[in-house]
Amino acid sequence: EYKRVRMRAFYSGSTERLGFGEIGQRKGILEVDLEDGNPTFHELNIREMVDLPAIDATGLASSEILGEARHGLSGARIENRIARLVISNVSAEAYRSLDASAIRRLGSSALHFDLRIEPAEAAKATVSASSTQIGLLADEFRKYVASLEITDAKKSRLMEMGIPYLEKVQE
């Protein structure tokens, strides 16, 4: 948004919306009469930003979240617009199995589709508690592989393949 800085001096603002904090702002060009200092705003017809209704995923499985996103995007007019969809309170289990790329494809008709997936508070606490301190790269890799839900044979193979590379990088 444009703002008066001093007498006969203005900050013009941008001619495009640069973030969702500007969703309601009018954009345009500012003309200032240098004689009297009065501004004239010339509004531009720019791309619209659409903040889609948020999805509260409390208690929903990943397939149900995908269904809610499909439902919400099916009637939305997002073609050639900048659109955002926020999915909040996603359980850790649903987050791991959620097909975010399928949701992004649902929003592919938008000029830009911003998908925000926010974990539930319990998942946030787990993530922040486990990520506050990062150790050596090889140690972090070991922890990551141990947390995977795959067979022990696959974990062993990943460790065999990955650890030598990571130790070499640390040298």
Side-chain angles (χ1 to χ4, degrees):
E1 289 183 290
Y2 78 88
K3 303 262 187 261
R4 181 183 297 270
V5 179
R6 286 192 198 115
M7 192 63 133
R8 295 186 175 87
F10 291 82
Y11 168 72
S12 63
S14 63
T15 56
E16 280 284 341
R17 291 183 188 98
L18 302 174
F20 279 89
E22 300 179 35
I23 197 164
Q25 291 180 8
R26 295 172 37 219
K27 295 295 182 172
I29 298 169
L30 190 62
E31 175 185 356
V32 179
D33 183 318
L34 297 178
E35 293 285 323
D36 62 18
N38 290 326
T40 303
F41 183 73
H42 302 278
E43 188 167 359
L44 295 174
N45 185 17
I46 62 168
R47 292 176 200 92
E48 290 183 53
M49 288 185 116
V50 180
D51 210 357
L52 298 165
I55 296 172
D56 182 358
T58 302
L60 299 180
S62 60
S63 60
E64 294 170 310
I65 295 169
L66 180 58
E68 288 291 320
R70 184 175 288 116
H71 175 72
L73 284 162
S74 67
R77 295 182 48 229
I78 61 171
E79 295 79 22
N80 299 316
R81 294 185 171 127
I82 300 167
R84 175 174 61 180
L85 175 61
V86 177
I87 303 173
S88 60
N89 298 314
V90 179
S91 71
E93 182 180 319
Y95 187 87
R96 281 193 297 273
S97 60
L98 184 61
D99 189 354
S101 60
I103 298 172
R104 283 189 184 88
R105 283 191 300 274
L106 293 170
S108 64
S109 65
L111 175 68
H112 173 73
F113 182 64
D114 184 19
L115 174 62
R116 302 289 167 118
I117 301 172
E118 300 172 350
E121 288 303 317
K124 283 182 190 174
T126 303
V127 169
S128 68
S130 66
S131 63
T132 54
Q133 218 173 16
I134 297 176
L136 297 173
L137 200 51
D139 293 339
E140 292 300 317
F141 182 69
R142 284 184 186 95
K143 288 180 201 173
Y144 170 71
V145 170
S147 73
L148 294 174
E149 295 179 17
I150 57 176
T151 65
D152 287 340
K154 286 183 180 180
K155 287 181 184 180
S156 294
R157 183 69 180 131
L158 275 173
M159 296 296 284
E160 265 175 42
M161 295 171 65
I163 293 295
Y165 288 110
L166 297 174
E167 288 174 343
K168 187 173 183 175
V169 168
Q170 287 177 318
E171 291 175 359

